[in-house]
Amino acid sequence: MPALQQLSTISLEQYEALPEDIRAEVYDGQIRYMASPSQIHQSILLELSTLLNSYVKNGKGDCKVFPAPFDVKLSDHPLTIVQPDIMIVCDREKLDENRCNGAPDFIIEIVSPGNPSDDYIRKAYYYQHYGVREYWIVDPRRRMVTVNYFEGNLINVAYSFDAAVKVNIYEDLYINFAEIAGLLNI
């Protein structure tokens, strides 16, 4: 593993050869290792994934919901691979056995206390740049949800955990964060 940290860039083959227990993303060919998520992170991920998957399964088109870890290859040159906490992919042509090749329609990232700038700055830039339609940042410590609906030019719209937040890629889907916060005691 130390040899990979010394490389100036990583190839897709090198990324795919990483051990399965290694969590990593690649930005412009540079690998970034990720820590394991916390209990609250995983609890929020489970609740949101369940809500989104139930909605999608009840006749909302050909979209699929994927919780992490599932790779998204945003670019081949330079290699850019991310693992969003939750994503919805509506163009099934982008999916193969290993990953989503291209931008998902909807992404949620749950902020980890150790690297909030990754979600608020780095990932927001990459997701907008590569064509994600809608990107949410769920911040349990601040009890805030930041919505970036790039397709509709709504950027950095903040909601408290007391709000029901509209998923803009759908006409009739709202997520009630007060219910989630109550279930999880946050």
Side-chain angles (χ1 to χ4, degrees):
M1 187 60 60
L4 278 179
Q5 293 175 331
Q6 296 171 2
L7 293 175
S8 58
T9 60
I10 187 171
S11 68
L12 179 59
E13 294 76 23
Q14 290 168 317
Y15 176 80
E16 289 176 335
L18 291 171
E20 283 192 29
D21 63 335
I22 299 294
R23 296 189 68 236
E25 294 179 316
V26 179
Y27 295 93
D28 296 326
Q30 303 295 309
I31 193 163
R32 294 182 52 94
Y33 296 96
M34 301 184 303
S36 293
S38 69
Q39 177 269 330
I40 192 68
H41 180 284
Q42 291 303 88
S43 295
I44 292 170
L45 184 143
L46 180 61
E47 291 298 324
L48 291 173
S49 295
T50 300
L51 287 168
L52 291 168
N53 197 48
S54 293
Y55 178 86
V56 168
K57 282 174 60 176
N58 287 324
K60 302 302 177 183
D62 290 331
C63 302
K64 289 200 53 108
V65 177
F66 295 95
F70 189 72
D71 287 346
V72 174
K73 183 172 62 164
L74 294 172
S75 173
D76 286 308
H77 304 288
L79 183 62
T80 302
I81 297 175
V82 294
Q83 289 186 355
D85 289 320
I86 305 168
M87 71 177 117
I88 297 176
V89 179
C90 296
D91 181 355
R92 292 200 183 197
E93 302 254 332
K94 292 181 179 181
L95 299 171
D96 63 28
E97 290 181 21
N98 299 317
R99 68 184 60 87
C100 175
N101 296 288
D105 294 270
F106 179 79
I107 288 177
I108 294 176
E109 294 285 4
I110 302 163
V111 175
S112 299
N115 63 349
S117 65
D118 269 7
D119 297 321
Y120 285 103
I121 299 168
R122 178 190 312 271
K123 289 183 180 183
Y125 166 78
Y126 280 91
Y127 293 160
Q128 183 175 22
H129 180 75
Y130 285 106
V132 172
R133 295 170 60 198
E134 185 167 358
Y135 169 47
W136 287 15
I137 305 164
V138 176
D139 192 331
R141 199 177 70 197
R142 293 177 52 219
R143 297 179 47 85
M144 298 292 296
V145 179
T146 303
V147 173
N148 294 285
Y149 181 41
F150 300 128
E151 187 174 79
N153 288 322
L154 295 171
I155 309 296
N156 291 325
V157 179
Y159 298 89
S160 75
F161 271 21
D162 297 333
V165 182
K166 183 176 188 324
V167 178
N168 293 288
I169 67 167
Y170 292 108
E171 291 295 319
D172 60 347
L173 177 58
Y174 291 81
I175 295 178
N176 186 338
F177 276 86
E179 284 180 12
I180 293 170
L183 285 170
L184 302 176
N185 294 320
I186 54 174

Coordinates of all heavy atoms in Angstrom, one line a residue, residues 1-2 10 26 37-38 45 63 80 106 109 116 118 124 135 138 153 156:
M1 N 0.8 -1.2 0.0 CA 0.0 0.0 0.0 C 0.8 1.3 0.0 O 0.5 2.2 -0.7 CB -1.0 0.0 1.2 CG -1.9 1.1 1.2 SD -3.0 1.2 -0.2 CE -3.8 -0.4 -0.1
P2 N 1.9 1.4 0.7 CA 2.7 2.6 0.7 C 3.2 3.1 -0.7 O 3.2 4.2 -0.9 CB 3.9 2.3 1.6 CG 3.4 1.3 2.6 CD 2.5 0.5 1.7
I10 N -2.9 7.7 -10.3 CA -3.3 6.3 -10.2 C -4.1 6.0 -11.4 O -4.9 6.8 -11.9 CB -4.1 6.0 -8.9 CG1 -4.3 4.5 -8.7 CG2 -5.4 6.8 -8.8 CD1 -4.9 4.1 -7.4
V26 N -10.8 8.9 -6.1 CA -9.7 9.4 -6.9 C -10.2 10.7 -7.6 O -11.3 10.8 -8.2 CB -9.4 8.4 -8.1 CG1 -8.3 9.0 -8.9 CG2 -9.0 7.1 -7.5
P37 N -17.2 5.3 8.2 CA -18.2 6.2 8.7 C -18.6 5.9 10.1 O -18.4 4.8 10.6 CB -19.3 6.0 7.7 CG -19.1 4.7 7.1 CD -17.7 4.4 7.1
S38 N -19.2 6.9 10.7 CA -19.6 6.8 12.1 C -21.0 6.1 12.2 O -21.7 5.9 11.1 CB -19.7 8.1 12.8 OG -20.8 8.9 12.1
L45 N -27.8 7.3 6.6 CA -27.7 6.7 5.3 C -28.8 5.6 5.1 O -29.4 5.6 4.1 CB -26.3 6.1 5.1 CG -26.0 5.5 3.7 CD1 -24.6 5.7 3.3 CD2 -26.3 4.0 3.7
C63 N -35.3 4.4 -12.6 CA -34.1 4.8 -11.7 C -33.8 3.7 -10.7 O -34.6 2.8 -10.4 CB -34.5 6.1 -11.0 SG -34.9 7.4 -12.0
T80 N -11.3 10.2 -12.3 CA -12.0 10.7 -11.2 C -13.1 9.7 -10.8 O -14.0 9.5 -11.6 CB -12.6 12.1 -11.5 OG1 -11.6 13.0 -11.9 CG2 -13.4 12.7 -10.3
F106 N -28.9 12.1 -8.9 CA -29.1 12.7 -7.5 C -28.1 12.0 -6.6 O -27.8 10.8 -6.7 CB -30.5 12.3 -7.1 CG -30.9 12.8 -5.7 CD1 -31.2 14.1 -5.4 CD2 -30.9 11.9 -4.6 CE1 -31.6 14.5 -4.2 CE2 -31.2 12.3 -3.3 CZ -31.6 13.6 -3.1
E109 N -24.5 13.3 0.2 CA -23.3 13.1 1.0 C -23.7 13.4 2.4 O -24.3 14.5 2.6 CB -22.1 13.9 0.5 CG -21.6 13.5 -0.9 CD -20.8 12.2 -0.9 OE1 -20.7 11.5 0.1 OE2 -20.3 11.9 -2.0
P116 N -15.3 18.1 6.5 CA -16.5 18.7 5.9 C -16.2 19.5 4.6 O -17.1 19.5 3.7 CB -17.0 19.7 7.0 CG -15.8 19.9 7.9 CD -15.0 18.7 7.8
D118 N -14.6 18.5 2.1 CA -14.7 17.5 1.0 C -16.1 17.6 0.4 O -16.3 17.7 -0.8 CB -14.4 16.1 1.4 CG -13.0 15.7 1.2 OD1 -12.2 16.6 0.9 OD2 -12.6 14.6 1.4
A124 N -18.9 19.2 -4.2 CA -19.9 20.1 -4.9 C -19.3 20.6 -6.2 O -20.0 20.6 -7.3 CB -20.2 21.3 -4.0
Y135 N -27.6 17.6 -5.8 CA -26.7 17.2 -4.8 C -27.1 17.8 -3.5 O -27.2 19.0 -3.3 CB -25.3 17.6 -5.2 CG -24.2 17.5 -4.1 CD1 -24.1 16.3 -3.4 CD2 -23.3 18.5 -3.9 CE1 -23.1 16.2 -2.4 CE2 -22.3 18.4 -2.9 CZ -22.2 17.2 -2.2 OH -21.3 17.1 -1.2
V138 N -25.9 16.5 3.8 CA -26.6 16.3 5.0 C -25.6 16.4 6.1 O -24.6 15.6 6.2 CB -27.4 15.0 5.1 CG1 -28.0 14.7 6.5 CG2 -28.4 14.9 4.0
N153 N -30.5 25.6 -11.2 CA -29.7 26.8 -10.7 C -30.1 27.2 -9.3 O -30.1 28.4 -9.0 CB -29.8 28.0 -11.7 CG -29.1 27.7 -12.9 OD1 -28.0 27.1 -12.9 ND2 -29.6 28.1 -14.1
N156 N -26.8 25.9 -2.9 CA -26.6 26.1 -1.5 C -27.8 26.6 -0.7 O -27.8 27.6 0.1 CB -25.4 27.1 -1.2 CG -24.1 26.5 -1.6 OD1 -23.9 25.3 -1.4 ND2 -23.2 27.3 -2.1

